[in-house]
Each structure stands twice: as C-alpha cells, then as structure tokens.
C-alpha cells in the first residue's frame, strides 16, 4: 500500500507527519497532492523531494495568502501506474488544488491528462524529459530537462580533447533525450561516436557494457543513469578496472548526485559532468540552503531537493499573486516568474512553462576532505534545447 502522510506544522515550528486528517481551517486549506517515489528504485529522489518540501515550509510557514497549505504525500514507488492512480485518488477523494512532485518521466506523462481534465496545476519537481511540459497546459516544471545538461557536456567534451566517445544510457525517455543532445553538441564540435548502448532502467547490469568499453577504447564514455543509480555504476566501473584504463567518464550530473556522492568513493575524483545544481555552488543563498538541509536531515541536498524546494517557492509566490486562488490563474501567475534559487538564477519560460537556468560544468574534487562537484564553467540562462527540435 502506498503511504499517505499529511504534514502539519506544530506550534514549535517543527513539521510533524501524522496519519489523521487536518481539520483546522479545512474550508480554507489549499491542498497539495505530493506524489514521490518514497520506496523502490528512485527512493533517493523521493527522500530529497519530501525533505525539501518540509524544509521550505519550516522556513516559510504553512499559510500563504490566507490559505493554510496542507501537503498530502503519496508514495508511487516509481511505478507509473501507481503515479496515475494516486493522482486520480488525490483529485477525486482528497480534492487537491495542486499536484506536485513526480520523480520519473513515465508516471509524469501518465498523469498529465488528469491535470488537464481536473484543471489543476501540476508542478513537476524532478522528472526531466523535454516533452513533459507539452503534455498539459497545466504543467509547470522546476527541475530540469536532460537536453539542457547533455548539450552542454557534449559541446564541452568536443572542445576539450575528447575525439571519440561511446554512450551508455538508461533505456527510457530521459536517456534518449540525453543521448540525442549529447551527440548534437559533441558531433557539432567534431567529436565522433563509436558505440551506443542502452541498459534497462530497473536493476541495470553495467558489467557487459563496461567490458565492451574496455575493448572499444574511446577517449570517454558518456553516461546517463537516473538519480540514485550513479553509485552502482561507479562500483562496477571500478570493479572492471576502468578507472585505471585512461577512459574518462563524462555525463549529465545525474550520475554524480550530491545526495550519494560522498559515499561513491575516490574513483569519482576528477570526473566532469554538466548540471544545474551542485551543493558546492558558491552563493550565500546556497550556503544557507545546504546548512539548513544538513541541520534538518543530516544529509547533503542533491539536485532533486533543489527542484522540490524551488517548486514550493513557485507555488507560494504564485499564490501570493493570485490572492490564494489556484487553477488556471495560478498557472498564469507562474509564467515568467524569476527568482534566485540555491542553484543560481532561474525563471519559468512563459511560452513553454519550463525552467530556464544556468548549466554548470563541474569536476569532482575534495573540499574539506569530502568530494564535491566543483563548478568551473557555466552556460547562462539555458532554455530547454529540446523544445526546438529541427
Ligand atoms: C526522469 O525519469 O525523468 C528522470 C529521473 C531521474 C533523473 C533524470 C530524469 O536523474
């Protein structure tokens, strides 16, 4: 049974999770149905989303524009049928005003028509396939798209001495987006692809692929696996002796998620990825965010936490603009909104409802004894390149 939890802010300011309905001011409450993979293959994403939503509410209170914010958290276990089913239940039974969360693309795509039918905003805080925002005019995204980061690492690789590459991608929509846009950037700069391999999204075995890579001897391997799988990839990479073969690993930042990086071992040192967030991003806003997250959850926030934190910010600020109204008016209020996120400056593209943000090129280095993605280059204000497929 998927878990169902409501957040209530206690008088102490602490957020408690309880299983009983909240009755206080129920007629004014604005309900957010938060769907996240709290169990299953993407549980690290679910944990980050849940943590970041709690942190945002702890810092900003639980009442906006006179309406009490009530979060109803549901676990979809990263299974698309569950995502759609719990969304349906949240709409019909709980009468939520907003759907939010969405850890993986398949469940997000399956749910999009429900947001359109119910005419409620659907804030995508994690999933990253380009096409998602095209699937409902009620979808607004605060995470990222794979083409944003993949195009930047592709161009960077071709400019930095990498002449040949192989690719290993997780075999579903974000992986296809990552590969398409890595190749575009890489080949436009003169790079040559040698081989492309897809691995199953659930329980992937990287070993056969890694053996082939040893024999193919590319300058670099481009890797996309969804958040949470980077540790398993790196383990097999080391076990197969690839770390001493001179073949570089490059990728989107999904394989070097800050949430797991500290436990991935020294083989990550020197690895270059492009992504939208690093816990080492040098800004006062980020330092404050990382410190508060660490204090609350004894963990380092990754990019999935930032997508959820910004998703809450977007909801709160848009509610202030509408005077607490939801529906299509809230989506309209979200369009064009811009703010400073822990990741840097971000905005919602009013035409696509997708996030516009900086993409950073980063190298794993030790900072105060712990590995971090240290940013050394940036492409500013990147709109989703996947929206202009020509
Ligand atoms: C997705 O399913 O859209 C997804 C999940 C995890 C990632 C990137 C994309 O790291």
């Amino acid at each position: 049974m998927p878990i169902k939890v409501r957040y209530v802010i206690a008088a102490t300011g602490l957020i408690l999770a309880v299983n009983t309905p909240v009755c206080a001011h129920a007629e004014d409450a604005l309900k957010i149905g938060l769907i996240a993979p709290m169990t299953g293959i993407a549980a690290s994403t679910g944990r980050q989303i849940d943590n970041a939503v709690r942190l945002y509410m702890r810092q900003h209170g639980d009442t906006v524009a006179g309406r009490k914010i009530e979060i109803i958290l549901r676990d979809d276990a990263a299974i698309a049928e569950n995502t759609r089913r719990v969304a349906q239940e949240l709409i019909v039974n709980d009468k939520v005003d907003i759907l939010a969360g969405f850890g993986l693309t398949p469940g997000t795509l399956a749910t999009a028509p429900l947001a359109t039918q119910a005419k409620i905003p659907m804030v995508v805080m994690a999933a990253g396939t380009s096409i998602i925002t095209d699937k409902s005019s009620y979808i607004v995204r605060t995470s990222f798209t794979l083409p944003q980061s993949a195009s930047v690492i592709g161009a960077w690789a071709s400019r930095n001495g990498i002449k040949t590459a192989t690719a290993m991608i997780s075999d579903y929509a974000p992986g296809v987006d990552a590969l398409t846009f890595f190749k575009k950037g890489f080949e436009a700069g003169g790079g040559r692809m040698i081989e492309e391999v897809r691995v199953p999204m659930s329980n992937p075995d990287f070993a056969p692929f890694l053996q082939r890579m040893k024999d193919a001897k590319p300058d670099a391997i481009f890797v996309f696996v969804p958040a949470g799988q980077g540790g398993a990839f790196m383990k097999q990479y080391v076990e197969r002796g690839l770390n001493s073969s001179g073949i570089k690993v490059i990728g989107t930042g999904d394989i070097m998620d800050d949430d797991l990086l500290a436990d991935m071992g020294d083989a990550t040192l020197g690895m270059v990825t492009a992504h939208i967030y690093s816990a080492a991003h040098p800004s006062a806003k980020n330092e404050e965010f990382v410190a508060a997250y660490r204090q609350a959850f004894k963990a380092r926030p990754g990019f999935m936490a930032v997508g959820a934190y910004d998703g809450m910010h977007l909801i709160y600020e848009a509610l202030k603009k509408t005077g607490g109204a939801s529906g299509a008016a809230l989506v309209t209020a979200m369009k064009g909104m811009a703010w400073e996120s822990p990741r840097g400056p971000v905005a919602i593209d009013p035409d696509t409802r997708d996030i516009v943000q900086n993409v950073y090129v980063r190298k794993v280095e030790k900072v105060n004894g712990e590995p971090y993605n240290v940013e050394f280059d940036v492409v500013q204000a990147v709109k989703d390149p996947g929206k202009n497929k020509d």
Side-chain angles (χ1 to χ4, degrees):
M1 246 331 251
I3 59 167
K4 180 170 173 178
V5 173
R6 288 173 198 255
Y7 296 179
V8 192
I9 299 204
T12 55
L14 284 176
I15 298 177
L16 308 175
V18 295
N19 284 315
T20 48
V22 184
C23 297
H25 310 296
E27 65 283 9
D28 300 317
L30 182 128
K31 294 183 187 173
I32 302 177
L34 183 66
I35 308 177
M38 302 306 299
T39 55
I41 55 165
S44 69
T45 295
R47 183 178 60 236
Q48 291 188 63
I49 292 174
D50 183 28
N51 285 349
V53 170
R54 287 169 194 266
L55 180 62
Y56 192 89
M57 292 183 71
R58 189 178 297 185
Q59 292 174 329
H60 297 86
D62 69 347
T63 304
V64 190
R67 297 193 70 178
K68 196 164 171 70
I69 306 294
E70 186 186 329
I71 304 283
I72 306 176
L73 173 66
R74 299 290 304 267
D75 177 18
D76 65 6
I79 296 166
E81 287 158 38
N82 291 352
T83 317
R84 189 185 157 94
R85 182 174 43 76
V86 297
Q88 181 83 39
E89 289 167 8
L90 285 162
I91 292 168
V92 175
N93 301 342
D94 297 289
K95 308 216 170 359
V96 296
D97 300 282
I98 298 172
L99 288 172
F102 300 101
L104 293 165
T105 289
T108 312
L109 293 176
T111 305
L114 302 186
T116 307
Q117 281 160 23
K119 298 188 177 17
I120 58 170
M122 173 166 162
V123 178
V124 176
M125 297 170 158
T129 304
S130 177
I131 204 167
I132 284 172
T133 48
D134 294 344
K135 295 297 175 189
S136 170
S137 59
Y138 285 84
I139 293 181
V140 183
R141 172 155 46 194
T142 56
S143 47
F144 53 87
T145 76
L146 270 307
Q148 285 178 320
S149 46
S151 57
V152 169
I153 193 68
W156 180 88
S158 70
R159 286 197 312 272
N160 285 275
I162 296 173
K163 294 192 169 53
T164 56
T166 54
M168 189 203 72
I169 54 146
S170 190
D171 191 12
Y172 78 125
V176 175
D177 263 8
L179 176 59
T180 305
F181 283 85
F182 170 76
K183 270 167 74 173
K184 254 193 177 170
F186 185 56
E187 291 176 343
R192 189 166 58 86
M193 296 300 296
I194 304 182
E195 196 170 352
E196 297 163 14
V197 177
R198 298 178 181 209
V199 293
M201 205 273 258
S202 304
N203 305 315
D205 178 11
F206 305 114
F209 162 78
L210 288 166
Q211 192 54 45
R212 271 161 70 184
M213 292 308 99
K214 256 182 137 170
D215 303 336
K217 296 191 174 50
D219 293 333
I221 311 174
F222 168 77
V223 181
F224 166 77
V225 288
Q229 291 187 6
F233 173 79
M234 285 307 300
K235 190 163 174 284
Q236 293 189 24
Y237 171 83
V238 172
E239 279 168 8
R240 297 268 141 186
L242 270 280
N243 54 333
S244 49
S245 68
I247 304 171
K248 296 189 172 72
V249 171
I250 54 175
T252 61
D254 306 74
I255 48 166
M256 292 291 142
D257 187 358
D258 274 295
D259 185 48
L260 305 177
L261 188 58
D263 295 326
M264 280 166 60
D266 283 354
T268 57
L269 293 175
M271 288 196 177
V272 176
T273 53
H275 218 227
I276 51 101
Y277 177 69
S278 165
H281 178 66
S283 73
K285 179 97 192 163
N286 186 48
E287 278 167 26
E288 195 190 305
F289 171 69
V290 173
Y293 191 99
R294 262 197 196 287
Q295 209 206 354
F297 310 112
K298 312 285 169 264
R300 194 197 288 186
F303 60 95
M304 293 303 193
V306 171
Y309 193 76
D310 283 332
M312 288 306 286
H313 178 84
L314 181 66
I315 291 170
Y316 270 46
E317 292 305 310
L319 281 171
K320 288 179 193 168
K321 274 172 79 176
T322 63
S326 185
L330 197 65
V331 175
T332 303
M334 289 173 174
K335 291 181 184 175
M337 207 169 253
W339 67 98
E340 194 199 345
S341 154
R343 61 185 118 172
V346 298
I348 300 299
D349 183 332
D351 298 325
T352 62
R353 292 162 277 98
D354 222 334
I355 188 156
V356 182
Q357 58 192 329
N358 294 347
V359 176
Y360 306 89
V361 188
R362 321 90 50 85
K363 182 186 269 184
V364 180
E365 287 172 15
K366 282 211 169 147
V367 179
N368 299 329
E370 274 188 43
Y372 276 90
N373 294 297
V374 176
E375 297 167 355
F376 63 89
D377 202 358
V378 60
V379 183
Q380 310 259 358
V382 180
K383 284 190 177 188
D384 173 29
K387 299 287 188 295
N388 303 307
K389 297 186 192 89
D390 47 26

